[in-house]
Every structure is written in C-alpha cells, then in structure tokens.
C-alpha cells in the first residue's frame, strides 16, 4: 500500500505547475528594496561572498543610514556606483566595499549632490531600465549614458559597462565609500597596480565589525590608458618620503585613509568587463579567488544562473504567479546567508583577526543568529541539509575555537564578532541540525562550544543568570528577554546532550531550561524584568518599547510568549487554553492608535501588538495550535501573509534579517513552521500554495498539496500524510525527511474539531 | 716558503692580546647614546628582530624627536619604559613598539612629566645603576625601586623585574607609545588575553614606514591577578556594540587606536620575568616565535652572550683598552642590521604588505642602503660572509620580487619601503658580494633586479637620467648627488654583468657609469646640478647645505669626490695629482667659522668641509692614496679617528647609520677601507690597533700587525704581505680571503716614497 502510494508521487504534477516560469525567473530581487525590507537588488551567487549591487546613497548620518542599510533604496533618484558587499535585510549595517563608479567623458571624484545632476560621479536612473534577476542586475546610468550590468560568482563580481560610442571611458574606485560611514570608519586602505595590470587593494574599517579587513583584486578586459591614485585626506600630519612618481598620481602603490583610483580606458570598441574578487585573507588570496573562477561576464553569469536553478530547485512550487513570485523570492532571500567567507584555498580570517584554514569545509560568516535560529536555519536543514548546514555548524565551532572569548558567534560577519542582539543562539542552530540527524561535524566539540558559551559569565549577565536563575535588570539591560532566550537555548543544549548520552550536561541544562519561570510574573501574566532583590521592576507598561529597556526590540506583549520549550507551562500559568487564546487575540487585536514606536527602528509590520516586522513575534500565530485551536492559527496566518508580504519593492513589512522574514514565509506557505527548533517538530499552520515539492537528499521528495485552496478556502478541513488522515497539528522532521505527501483539503469554514485534543498538539503540550 | 710562513701564523699572538678582556666585555653599548650617535643601549642579539631598550622620552615633536631617534638619550633624567624595537643610529626614526612600564604599588597610565616625579609611569634613574652589555641591560628605576633587567634572543625579548618586597607589582603596556609619534600615527591596535595567559596584540602604524604591522606575544613567569584593557581615545564616533565584560576593563579583547593594558601580579616572592616575541606576520607567528626560543631570562641571556662571542670573534683585536673598546663597540654596532624580519617558520611580511615565505634563508630588513653600501656591507662580506651576506642578497632580491614598483629596496624596514635617501645602492651591495665570490643566491634574478631598479623611470628622475645622462635639477631635487650615485651604481651593475658574461648589460651600464661627468663643471672643478637646458644651476655656493637642494645631505665639497669608479678621471679633470691633493687639503682645512649648519640634522663631525658625521665624506681621506700621497691619508685618518670616535656615550660624531660609521672605524682600525665596493680592492690607510686577526671561513685567518704603533708612530714606514714587501696602496679581496699576514712597520715620520707610482695606486688609477 505504502510503496504503491510513493510510486504514484513520481508521476507529473498538475498541468499549471508545468506551465509556470522557471523558479529563477519567478524571483524578483527588487522585493524588499523599498519600505522596511533592507534587501539589495544586485547580483550574488547562492551564499556568495560577493554581493555586487548599486548604492543609491551612502553619505548619511546614523538615522538616515538605517534606510540605506543595503545601500539601495528604491525611491532614490540616483546611483552612486556599484559596491561588492551588502547585507540582505540587516537592521544595522556596514559593508558597501570597493565602490566602482563608471564615468563617460569626464571622471569626477566625488559622488556629488543628488539634486544637481553632473555635480559628481553619481547618475540618475530610471527603474524602467532596471533588470534584477538572481545573479544578474542591469541599469542604464542616464547621466553618462552607460549601460551597467553586474553578475557574480561565489567570490567574484563582474561588471560590464557599455559606454556611449566615441566617449572616453573611466572608472572611479572610491575606497572612502561605505555603508554606515561614520567619521573615522576607514582606518587604512591601499591601492596597488601590479605589473600585469591587476589592481589589488585593501581596506580596514572600524565599523559595525571592529577592525575589519577586506582585500580585493580587479582585472579589466581592456588595458588601462592611464591611472591616478589620489589620497583625499587633508589631515595627514606626517606624509613620509615620496616614492617613485613623485608629484604624479600614476604611482604603483598608494596607502592612506581616503583613497580613490581613477582608471582611464580611452575610447572603447567593446563593453568593458571588470572582474573583481574579494578575500578576507590578503591580496594574494583575492588574486587566487579571481583566478579560481574562470571566464568573463557571460560565463560567470551562466554558472551562477545554474547554481541558482539548482538551489531554488530544492522547492518546487505551484501557485498563482503573485504568490509564487513572493515565495520564490523569499526562498532566494533565504539562500544568501550565512555567506562564504573562506578563500578558494580554504584560508579565512577568523574572530581573532588571524588567518586560519578551513579543512574540509567552507567557512561561512554573516550569522544574524538572534533572527535566523528561528526559521532560517531550520529551513536550511531541509533545502541545504549537507552543504550549507554542515558548513554552518563547522564554521560556528571553528569560530568558537578562535574566539578571543572562547564562545560561539552572536552576530558575526567577515569572521568578526559584533556583539549585536542577545542570546547564544548558535546553540539551537547546532542542536537542531544534530537532532535532525545531520552529521559531518565534531559533535563533542560542538557541544563543548555550546556549554562554554552558556557558561561564560562575562557575557550578557550570564554570571548572574547562572547564580540566580534569571538576569537581574539592575545589572544588565534587556534582562527579561535575555532570561527567556537563555532558557530556551539551554533547553536545546540539554536536548543535544541527552541525545549524545552526555547526561550530566543534559540534566544541568534541563534545569536551566525552566529559568523562564523566574522572570514570569504569574500575578499579572507577563514576562517581566526582575531586580537583584527579586522584585519585578516598576513602573511596568506591557506596550513600552525602548532600546536597552527590559526587553530586546520588543515588549511584554511579544516576549511573554517566548518559551517554545514549555508552552504547556506557560498556558498553565496563564490559566488554561481559553485564557491563552484570549490573550493571543488581545495581542493581535490591540488598538495601537495611541502608541508611537517611531523611535524604534526595527518595530514595523504591526498587527496590534503582534509585530511581524521583527522576530520575537514570529512564532506567535502558531500558538493557537498549542491551545487546541488550529483554525485560529489558520485565520491569523491569512491575516499576516496578506498584510505583510507583497510581490513589490515594498513587499516586506520589516527587515528581512538575513532571510528570517523570508524563511518564515517559505515555511508558512508550505503549511508548517518550526516553532521550537530542537524539538524536531513543525507546527501545522495552513498552506498558501497549491502544491509544493521539497526535493530532499537521495532523491526523496516531500510533497505538499492544498486541494481546493483559494482566497475563500482558507481553512483546513482535513489533512492526510501519505494518504493516512493526520489528526495532530504538527509534523515530525523524520516524516519530512523520509519523503511522502502531505495533503490538505481546504475549505471556507473552519474545522473546529481537528487537532484539538491534548495529544494532538505540538511539542511541550505533551511529553515527547 | 709560503707554507712555512702560514704555519707560523697559527702560533699564539703577543702576550697582551691574551690578557685582554673577552670581546663581549670590551663592547660598551652606551657609546653613541649621547651626542649624535643615535644608538640604543638595550639588549639585542646579533641582527636580532628584537631590540629591547629603555626609552627615556617619546613625547616629542619632529625636531625634538631627532635626538630621540633611538628612544634613549644619555642626558635624560627619566626612563618611560622598555620597548622592543629600535634603530641603531638612524637619522630618521619610528619603532619603539610595545612599551612596557613596570610599576610598584600604584599603576599609572600616562608617562607623566619628567620634571614631576611620580606624575606618571616614568621613573628617574642613575647611570651608576646601569649595566649595558651585548644582549644585556640593567637599570634601577629609582621612583619605584624596581630593578629592571633586559635580555633578548633573535625574536624575543625578556624583561626581568625585581619589585620591592611586599609591594604590588604591575606592568603597564602602552601601545600609544612610539618614536617619532606624530598625531594619527597609530592606525589601529589590539590586545588579546588568551585563555592560557598569553597576552597577544598588534599595532598598525603610519610612520616612517606607511601601514606597518607588528604583532607580539607576551608570557609572564607569574599569573595575572587582574588585568584591564583601556582605550584612551576620546574621539571615537561610533563605538559599536559592547562585548562581554561590558563596563569592565577585564575584557578578553580590545581594539582601538590608543590602547593600554594594566597587568596586575599582586605581591611577588620572586622576580617577574616577561618574555615577549615579535612577528611581522600575525599573532600566531609571534606565539610560535616565542615558543621557538626556549627558556627564561638566564637561558636566553646565556645563548645570546654565546652568539655575541661568536659574532665578535670574527675579529680578534689587540690594542690599548680604550681603542679596543671603541673598535669592538664599532664591530658590535656593525652586527645589528640588516636585522632578521622573517618568523621562525620563514614567513615574513614583504614590501607589498603580504605574507611570503623565505625558503632556505632568513629574510632580513632594516636596509639603510645609502649609508651601508659604503663600508657596512663590505665588512659583512668579511665577518658574516655566508650567513648574513647571503641572507641580505636573497632578501633584497625577494623584496624586489614583491615590491609594488618592482625594484630593489632603497631604505626598507619591517619589510616596507620608506623611499628615504637616494640611489639604487642595493646594486653595489649585491655586486660587491658576487664579485667577491659569495654565492648561494640566484645571480641572474639578482642582476635582473639591479637592472630593473636602474631602469625604473618613475624613480628619482631616472627617466631623465637615462635620456640625458644626468638628472636635471629643475625636474628633480638633489640632482647632482643622484647623478653621481646612479653612475657609481651603474658601474657596479656593469661589473657584475661582465663577470657573469652578460655583456650587453655590461656594455650599457659601463657607458652609464661615465655619467658623473655630465654633472661635473670642469671650469670650476665642482660637481654641480644642471638644468634641463644643460646649463649649471646658479647661484652656486659649494658650502651650501639644504634639504632638497642640489645635493643630498651635503654640498659640492663632499660630492665632488664621489666617483669611486673613476677617481683617475676626476683627478685629470681637476688638473692632476697635485691639484687634487691641494683640493683635498682645502676641504679638510676649510675655515667653517662663518658657516651655520644647525638646520641640517645630519651634518655633524666637521673637519673643515670634511663631514665625518655623514656618509658622503667617508671615503675622502683615502683619496690621497689615489694621488700618490698615502702618507697624507695616514695623517688625515689620525686626525679623524682622534676627533670623531671616543669610548664614551658621546663617542660617535654622527649618526651611526645602522653600522656605517662603525664599519668605517673597523676597517680603518685594521688599516684599509673599501673605497669602491665592487672593485674588490681595499685602499690602505694605516692601522690603529697593534694586531688584528680576521677569522675567515674554513679556518683561514688574515692577520694585521702594526709593529711599533704608537701615538707618535702614526706613519707607515713599510708594509709586507705574507712576508713580502707590498709596494701598492691597496689590498685585493682575494688576498684577504686566502688568509695571511699584513704587517705594517710604523714610524714617526712619513715614508713619502711608498706607493706613489701610478701602478701602485688603487682601482681606477690604473686599468684593472
């Protein structure tokens, strides 16, 4: 019976899936470039080290910078140039390295005023001239009449510029340009024109990552007819002795804090290709990375398109075009980070700023773990179970080995720790992978790293947390959030330790996993910050959101739900299922009309006190399942998807946060969500696509079908798993990985009897 | 006959040589620490990467800095601390890295005011408490009552501090401190306390060498009882997020531009040893260098003493104690640079700021080539013919390979080019070694590098020099000096090319070697700067000395003698031997009473217009030999040695210039000098020691004996080489290397008949 059923799955799907455009053509990288998304539209390979993308504005002070965290804002009228590194959806920023500004006729060395065309190297542009596809971006720079195309391999970016016929072609490389470019950010930089015509260089910056080093190598399809290296720094006390070419800018090497290169190519008969490789190790590493990726623009574009086709092919989706576009773009955004950081030869610059070698894996960085432990990493365990997930775990463990503090990354990029956000959420990422059976890393070293991170007293009030069972707010800010997130992380450590037979560790951390209770005010029903004295801090306002307050980018409304390891315990404290449901409803239905959160950058996408634009809310809509009311989850999901995601530039309600906002949608579209990574369970919501196939290793396929799905048919009437009715509101990870079919029958009215019983509810409501 | 004679040489020398103190005890590193010498008194191994030495003052503006180029001035009343890198005798400066200031009782973080004892970490000291020996320095820091001892291995320095009993011991590491510390010099720095108690760190500086990186690792004989890392930079726009230990200084890592570490040790029962290793590669390199040199203070001190005994043993000297002390100290100063720059594992940071590996040699840096090509490198071909000389040539060629400009070093340290002084004097260094038969390097690559350097148009007016045969002063400063020095360098290239059978190169550069004539004004008899028009620049004053003028740190008086490849040609232009002698006498006897050279730092040690304190004069006293009047050379040398060298702190009349001033004395004391490196000849002056033995490879010994030498007997009456009368005023290099005996008979009256004939005169006076 079962075998015959599986055989049937191999037959072709419905006709409308066949006729849809290829996944790569369904992706629209412009989604999220307006509004709050902070995504970039430029060219990148899956998890690529290079994100080659237009910067519309970089010259901004801190608050104005926020909107330009990814360099590009859809509503800006001009493009300054194209730089090689960008975060996808970060709420803080840096990068924008090695800005290239093509210039026709006259080379200008300053970006100029957007309101004064021709005042600098920036140019006006029209969205009608733009094309953005995975691994490809093109735009016409109107002021110079230059057609600019970008593509990227893993460690290279390739620019192709078509200059107007008969006009001298120039490039300006502005090493002063950067995102979040505070005064004093550029510590040192260098330009070096090698005898073979390769331009190499480097930059050291004091930005979000302190003392970050980035090296580059650049080759051109046409010979230079001239070059000038200029130092725009007027405040050099001691200039040293003059090297060869004194009085000229045509020197072979220049060092300084405000360097620019002007490169002249004369009048070109063919488009100019500029191939650029990056390295975190050294200039030789950049040259080797450049040579490791053979070919020019078209070859690299084709290879990267093939890589995207393969990566996006992990999920086959059938849905109406707008939803399909939205979900495939979400999958695309989920496949950008953690990005490659080691060189082609395996060397990388680690958290100690020293060069190490990744032996047998590719070192990844850009870990936005407070965001991504929730759904992004669980998604990667399904769509990139070996390549990326194993790399991620090995990179986290290697990072801990070379961490000056001896702990796992918190928010790391370019190999450097930034200490942004809270928790030790590398622990759930590793535990989730291990518990799902993913191997290929040293589990003992990983567990040791998790324990060391959880026991490191100087970090985030952990000394007090360990001693008292909660983080006291008079000693450490954001104490309420830290207490509950630490307790969850502790639970994941315990789960992994138990699975490994490391029972002493398991027992200790199982005990710590209950610490969320120590910061929960049972009288009021809120998670609250406590003082060292044991008293809850007053005054207390569950709607207050302030940086450095009792909570992390949130308030009691959001944080009072964060105990994924023990929702049963929470619900008991709240007084049972009905009261939990009432409180969930109160959250979604809260009248915000008298509140102002404009001071808190990350607070966007509000549905009452549910804030989809930031992560602490992300699991909350699924909690109705825990209370035995899955139809209410189904309603809320419809409300969220409809209001928070659109296939347009302003289509993301909040920062994509390195794929977390997007991974939420990919899971939700498929009909389930990992509320408690480490539990090996996915909580069933409802599907938003007609059909989806997860292509798993060894040719296994897990197929989701939503029979009768429509705007009206938004409720689950029935569910079968491999043809057998499914009476519970969760799926097991092993069920997915085995392959099979999950079939939903959708209806216009809720099935209030499905999965209501206690045994049918997700993890922690029953002992598993 | 000859064999019997050589056998006799193996017999013991005169009794007074037996009774003298060992060479290592004859060295006084305090010589040159007052006056103009710019030497340092601290501890270093032969050619060591580490020069661990007291800094009496670092907080100075540019002019005041000059006197503190080596960190220590004998007349200063206080010591700030002990830093790990120093130049020996440079006229410009940098370094002073990783200052350690021991503190008893209270730790102070600023150096304080020398006039206010206790106002900072500096301490008063008394020279009576000082001991300075090769590889060992000690002083009592009076304010804290701390006995400080220093020693050094090749890549390590070891401090030993004996604190007063019962007083808490602290160290302050001040990464802000530096020599020539202009505002903005410290680009970035880091401190990192590793779990095993090793303190590592780094500093990047924009000083004389642009963008220099230095890493260190430090271990302590007693455990830390506490530590604090502080950033004294008040002007940080963006501080980033706070890592573990927020609000505390006891962090594991700190990065910034103005860092200090306070290290606490409590009350110690035993002296505190602090072992520090440096690396130009990375912190791991520093740790490996630290571990490569086993043992603590006493073990390293003993090994370095043995190394000095061996190195100084290259020359055995018998002389009255003051002269012996002066000459052995000169030999010591000649054995400090070019110093080791590669790590124990062979890796080094090269001129391109990238890390390379020295395969089969030790990479050396600190090349003060404009100074040292004259006598320092020729001396090394005799006292360090294999180890150092082969390293030097290989390092020069490797530097050219990784030079951004593709040329040999000019003035390089820490692997980085500074573009200080003029010429391509790596060429004579390499040619001199090659022509003397020293092998062990790729001669073809070396010659290619020499030619590339000589043909690199952007450097120092070379484009015009090649086109016109001279450097035009309206296009390039110091044109007269450049023209004659280039012509000499060209001659050395030609000599080496001819010896290698590379005849086309030889012919081309032989022609260039005559270019000195193109800048010589035959009407006035002076070397003068010419304009592009061909006219000599006016006004002209042969005594004028100005930076950036027609000459380099000199004037027409000194530079009109610089054509070592063709002194015969010069003398003809001057009108013959008698006129040449008259002009030499006019130079030495010039009345300077109406001149003021105080604006030119390097102009010191004047005897008329002969300026022994700077290099352009160094060969001039030997030129009487060329005119057939060696007795006049003998007189002038007595005058120079008596007035320019003393066995006292102010015993050097000018900057030692990385051994050149000292190498001049070592050669001169032995009775001969390499006027024209590349000629394989040494011009005979007169000996200043009773007996000297050059210990050469394969057990060969070249012995110099000065029979009857005394203050009165200052003339050569007769000379024999291996028992045979020597009628010429020069020695051949092959004669030295074969071993043998050069015996002078000294007398109170000149022998005006010796070596007067043309055939008896040195190179270029006759065709050889």
């Amino acid at each position: 019976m079962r075998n015959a059923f599986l055989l049937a799955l191999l037959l072709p799907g419905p006709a409308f899936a066949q006729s849809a455009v290829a996944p790569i053509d369904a992706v629209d990288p412009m989604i999220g470039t307006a509004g709050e998304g902070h995504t970039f539209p430029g060219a990148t390979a899956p998890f690529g080290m290079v994100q080659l993308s237009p910067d519309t504005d970089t010259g901004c002070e801190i608050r104005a910078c926020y909107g330009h965290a990814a360099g590009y804002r859809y509503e800006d009228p001009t493009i300054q140039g194209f730089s090689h590194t960008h975060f996808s959806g970060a709420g803080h920023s840096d990068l924008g390295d090695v800005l290239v500004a093509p210039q026709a006729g006259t080379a200008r060395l300053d970006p100029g005023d957007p309101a004064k065309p021709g005042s600098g190297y920036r140019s006006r542009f029209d969205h009608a001239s733009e094309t953005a596809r995975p691994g490809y971006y093109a735009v016409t720079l109107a002021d110079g009449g230059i057609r600019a195309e970008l593509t990227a391999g893993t460690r290279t970016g390739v620019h192709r510029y078509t200059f107007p016929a008969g006009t001298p072609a120039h490039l300006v490389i502005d090493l002063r340009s950067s995102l979040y470019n505070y005064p004093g950010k550029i510590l040192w930089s260098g330009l070096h024109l090698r005898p073979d015509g390769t331009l190499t260089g480097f930059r050291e910056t004091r930005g979000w990552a302190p003392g970050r080093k980035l090296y580059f190598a650049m080759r051109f399809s046409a010979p230079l007819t001239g070059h000038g290296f200029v130092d725009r720094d007027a405040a050099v006390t001691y200039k040293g002795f003059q090297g060869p070419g004194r009085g000229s800018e045509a020197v072979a090497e220049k060092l300084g804090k405000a360097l620019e290169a002007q490169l002249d190519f004369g009048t070109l008969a063919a488009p100019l290709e500029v191939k650029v490789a990056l390295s975190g190790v050294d200039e030789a590493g950049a040259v080797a990375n450049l040579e490791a990726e053979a070919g020019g623009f078209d070859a690299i574009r084709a290879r990267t398109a093939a890589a995207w086709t393969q990566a996006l092919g992990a999920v086959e989706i059938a849905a109406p075009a707008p939803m399909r576009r939205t979900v495939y773009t979400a999958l695309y955004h989920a496949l950008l980070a953690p990005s490659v950081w080691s060189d082609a030869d395996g060397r990388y610059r680690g958290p100690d700023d020293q060069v190490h070698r990744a032996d047998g894996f590719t070192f990844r960085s850009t870990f936005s773990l407070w965001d991504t432990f929730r759904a992004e990493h669980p998604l990667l365990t399904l769509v990139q179970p070996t390549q990326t997930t194993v790399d991620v775990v090995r990179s986290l463990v290697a990072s801990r080995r070379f961490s000056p503090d001896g702990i796992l990354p918190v928010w790391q990029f370019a190999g450097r720790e930034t200490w942004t956000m809270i928790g030790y959420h590398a622990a759930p990422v590793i535990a989730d992978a291990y518990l799902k059976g993913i191997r290929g890393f040293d589990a003992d070293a990983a567990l040791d790293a998790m324990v060391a991170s959880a026991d490191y007293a100087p970090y985030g009030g952990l000394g007090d947390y360990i001693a008292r069972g909660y983080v006291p707010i008079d000693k450490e800010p954001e104490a309420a959030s830290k207490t509950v997130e630490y307790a969850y992380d502790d639970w994941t450590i315990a789960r992994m330790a138990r699975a490994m037979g490391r029972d002493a560790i398991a027992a200790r951390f199982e005990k710590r996993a209950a610490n969320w209770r120590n910061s929960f005010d049972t009288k009021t029903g809120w998670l609250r910050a406590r003082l060292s004295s044991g008293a809850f801090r007053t005054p207390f306002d569950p709607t207050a959101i302030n940086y450095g307050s009792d909570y992390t980018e949130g308030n009691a409304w959001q944080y009072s739900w964060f105990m994924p390891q023990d929702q049963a315990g929470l619900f008991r404290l709240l007084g049972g299922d009905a009261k939990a449901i009432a409180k969930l409803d109160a959250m979604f239905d809260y009248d915000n009309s008298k509140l102002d959160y404009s001071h808190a950058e990350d607070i966007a996408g509000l549905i009452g006190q549910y804030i989809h634009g930031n992560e602490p809310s992300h699991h909350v809509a699924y909690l109705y399942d825990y209370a035995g009311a899955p139809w209410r989850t189904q309603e809320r999901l419809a409300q969220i998807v409809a209001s928070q995601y659109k296939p347009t530039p302003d289509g993301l309600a909040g920062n994509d946060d390195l794929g977390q906002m997007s991974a939420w949608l990919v899971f939700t579209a498929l009909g389930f969500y990992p509320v408690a990574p480490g539990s090996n369970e996915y909580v069933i919501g409802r599907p938003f696509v007609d059909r989806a196939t997860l292509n798993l290793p060894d040719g296994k396929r897990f197929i989701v079908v939503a029979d009768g799905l429509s705007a009206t048919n938004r409720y689950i009437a029935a569910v079968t798993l491999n043809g057998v009715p499914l009476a519970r509101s969760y799926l097991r990870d092993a069920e997915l990985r085995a392959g099979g079919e999950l079939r939903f029958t959708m209806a216009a009215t809720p099935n209030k009897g499905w999965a209501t019983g206690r045994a049918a509810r997700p993890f922690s409501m029953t002992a598993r």
Side-chain angles (χ1 to χ4, degrees), chain A:
Chain A
M1 168 72 184
R2 186 176 171 85
N3 281 351
F5 173 79
L6 288 172
L7 199 65
L9 296 181
L10 301 176
L11 298 173
F16 57 79
Q18 303 283 314
S19 64
V21 298
I24 192 171
D25 295 320
V27 173
D28 181 3
M30 300 305 294
I31 294 176
T33 61
E36 303 287 333
H38 291 191
T39 60
F40 63 85
T44 187
F47 306 103
M49 177 190 276
V50 168
Q51 305 87 25
L52 178 53
S53 189
D55 292 332
T56 56
D57 216 315
T58 60
C60 52
E61 295 300 318
I62 176 161
R63 286 290 152 183
C65 274
Y66 179 70
H68 290 86
Y72 181 98
R73 278 208 74 79
Y74 191 81
E75 57 269 36
D76 284 348
T78 64
I79 286 173
Q80 288 186 204
F82 307 98
S83 70
H84 296 78
T85 52
H86 297 85
F87 294 118
S88 184
H92 199 74
S93 204
D94 198 334
L95 306 178
D97 296 292
V98 197
L99 183 90
V100 175
Q103 305 275 280
T106 308
R108 293 177 178 82
L109 291 178
D110 288 302
D113 183 345
K116 295 179 187 164
S119 63
Y121 58 61
R122 68 167 78 234
S123 169
R124 287 170 291 185
F125 74 110
D126 189 323
H127 290 303
S129 78
E130 271 183 314
T131 303
R133 293 280 174 268
Y136 180 79
Y137 172 87
V139 68
T140 298
L141 299 171
D143 292 335
I146 302 164
R147 182 65 179 168
E149 298 171 282
L150 311 175
T151 190
T154 297
R155 298 176 183 87
T156 58
V158 193
H159 311 234
R160 182 161 64 192
Y161 298 118
T162 307
F163 292 88
T167 311
H170 309 276
L171 299 179
V172 169
I173 319 292
D174 194 344
L175 294 187
R176 304 170 305 170
S177 191
S178 181
L179 305 178
Y180 276 46
N181 205 357
Y182 304 94
K185 178 172 178 181
I186 315 297
L187 295 171
W188 196 237
S189 57
L191 289 163
H192 170 196
L193 185 60
R194 300 182 176 220
D196 70 355
T198 306
L199 177 68
T200 60
F202 71 93
R203 190 163 79 164
E204 298 178 33
T205 49
R206 172 186 207 153
W208 187 10
R212 181 173 64 96
K213 297 183 174 74
L214 192 75
Y215 303 84
F216 68 89
M218 200 177 280
R219 285 183 183 159
F220 313 95
S221 63
L224 291 178
T225 60
H227 81 280
F229 293 164
V230 291
D231 185 353
R232 306 294 300 281
D233 189 352
V236 181
T237 310
Y238 171 73
K239 292 181 195 292
F241 292 81
Q242 294 290 330
R246 139 190 351 222
S248 154
E249 291 165 352
V251 292
E253 186 192 55
K254 191 131 197 150
L255 299 166
K257 294 181 178 180
L259 297 187
E260 287 187 275
Q262 177 183 328
L263 308 175
D264 309 320
F265 297 90
T267 304
L268 295 171
L272 176 67
E273 290 193 12
V274 185
K275 188 172 174 184
V276 183
L278 302 181
S279 167
V281 172
D282 55 22
E283 290 176 27
V287 171
N289 287 344
L290 191 137
E291 291 172 350
E293 296 182 19
F297 192 97
D298 290 327
I300 287 177
R301 180 184 178 187
R303 278 207 302 276
T304 294
W308 274 118
T309 293
Q310 183 177 34
L312 295 166
V315 189
E316 293 171 42
I317 293 165
M323 179 58 76
R324 193 164 177 269
R325 176 164 298 271
T326 305
V327 177
Y328 264 125
T329 302
L331 181 59
Y332 166 81
H333 282 141
L335 297 171
L336 298 179
S339 48
V340 167
W341 177 240
S342 52
D343 279 358
D345 68 358
R347 295 187 306 155
Y348 65 94
R349 190 171 293 275
D352 52 356
D353 198 28
Q354 306 300 302
V355 174
H356 308 285
R357 189 178 292 273
D359 208 8
F361 70 106
T362 300
F363 187 88
R364 308 288 190 113
S365 194
T366 311
F367 287 111
S368 184
L369 291 161
W370 180 80
D371 303 296
T372 56
F373 82 88
R374 301 165 199 266
E376 165 71 14
H377 285 285
L379 180 62
L380 293 178
T381 69
L382 293 171
V383 299
Q384 295 266 326
T386 50
Q387 192 181 353
T388 296
T389 300
V390 175
D391 276 353
V392 160
V393 176
R394 295 189 68 169
S395 301
L396 291 171
V397 175
S399 290
R400 182 257 167 165
R401 183 175 164 206
F402 300 119
S403 153
D405 291 275
I407 64 175
L408 287 159
V410 176
W411 209 125
Q412 183 204 76
F413 73 93
R416 295 293 280 172
E417 185 53 71
T418 69
W419 304 115
T420 310
M421 309 310 294
I422 66 169
Y424 29 101
H425 299 306
V429 170
I430 298 169
D432 185 52
Y434 181 83
L435 292 162
K436 286 172 174 170
I438 293 171
R439 296 294 181 268
F441 54 89
D442 181 339
D444 285 312
L447 185 65
D448 289 349
M450 293 155 74
V451 171
S453 305
D455 281 347
Y456 187 55
Y459 172 69
L462 268 178
D464 279 310
Y465 172 81
I466 292 164
R468 299 166 183 273
Y470 66 94
V471 178
I473 188 65
D474 47 335
K475 296 201 172 179
E476 180 77 18
E478 306 176 12
S481 295
K482 284 173 183 170
T483 299
V484 291
E485 294 194 11
Y486 295 169
Y488 163 71
D489 290 346
D490 291 340
W491 172 74
T492 67
I493 295 170
R495 293 270 293 175
M496 179 162 157
R498 192 64 77 187
M500 292 173 65
R502 302 276 293 269
D503 291 338
I505 292 172
R508 184 158 74 88
F509 282 88
E510 279 159 6
K511 197 172 164 201
R512 284 174 55 156
N515 280 343
W516 68 269
R517 294 170 181 269
N518 298 332
S519 203
F520 199 91
D521 178 8
T522 52
K523 285 190 189 150
T524 62
W526 297 107
L527 179 78
R528 293 179 59 183
R530 279 175 80 184
L531 297 162
S532 301
S533 66
F536 290 103
R537 183 154 85 165
T538 54
F540 170 68
D541 172 359
T543 68
I545 296 178
N546 286 296
Y547 288 116
S549 70
D550 299 359
Y551 307 92
T552 300
E553 292 184 2
N555 60 24
W557 273 110
Q558 294 99 47
Y559 265 99
S560 293
W561 303 107
F562 192 78
M563 42 292 298
Q565 73 278 27
D566 192 10
Q567 298 293 355
L570 170 70
F571 284 13
R572 278 195 296 275
L573 292 184
L574 291 179
D577 295 343
K579 293 210 170 161
I581 290 170
K583 186 158 188 163
L584 286 166
D585 282 342
M587 179 182 187
F588 279 97
D589 299 335
Y590 192 92
D591 175 7
N592 285 333
S593 59
K594 291 188 181 145
L595 297 175
D596 176 10
Y597 292 143
S598 61
H599 60 284
E601 286 170 337
D602 285 89
I603 305 307
L606 275 67
I607 303 174
Q609 283 292 316
Y610 176 89
I611 300 181
H612 192 72
N614 209 18
E615 278 67 15
S617 296
H618 277 190
H619 67 302
V620 175
Y622 286 92
L623 296 185
Y624 290 101
D625 273 29
Y626 288 72
W631 64 279
R632 299 286 294 134
T633 288
Q634 295 156 32
E635 280 182 347
R636 291 299 180 192
L637 292 178
Q639 184 180 9
I640 295 165
V641 171
S643 62
Q644 307 296 315
Y645 295 92
K646 288 184 290 185
T648 52
D650 63 344
L652 288 172
N655 305 155
D656 197 55
D657 285 324
L658 288 303
Q660 168 58 25
M661 277 288 281
S662 286
W664 186 94
L665 183 67
V666 174
F667 271 120
T668 296
L670 266 55
F672 46 86
Y673 185 84
V675 169
S679 70
N680 276 14
E681 289 185 4
Y682 304 88
V683 177
I684 292 174
R686 50 146 289 195
F688 286 82
V689 296
D690 298 300
R691 181 186 174 92
T693 303
L694 266 173
N695 288 309
L696 298 159
D698 303 325
K700 295 203 174 89
R701 308 203 298 169
F702 187 80
I703 299 171
V704 176
V705 182
D707 285 331
L709 176 68
S710 71
T712 320
N713 289 343
R714 57 185 180 141
Y715 293 105
I716 295 173
V719 192
T720 63
L721 179 64
N722 300 329
V724 179
L726 186 73
R728 50 181 152 90
S729 61
Y730 63 90
L731 291 169
R732 298 189 180 100
D733 182 70
E735 291 165 347
L736 262 73
R737 281 176 210 279
E741 188 199 67
L742 180 70
R743 185 172 286 265
F744 295 94
T745 303
M746 305 303 291
T749 52
N751 177 349
K752 297 185 178 177
W754 177 70
T756 57
R758 187 152 292 270
R761 301 187 197 175
F763 184 89
S764 90
M765 301 309 291
T766 56
R768 277 190 296 276

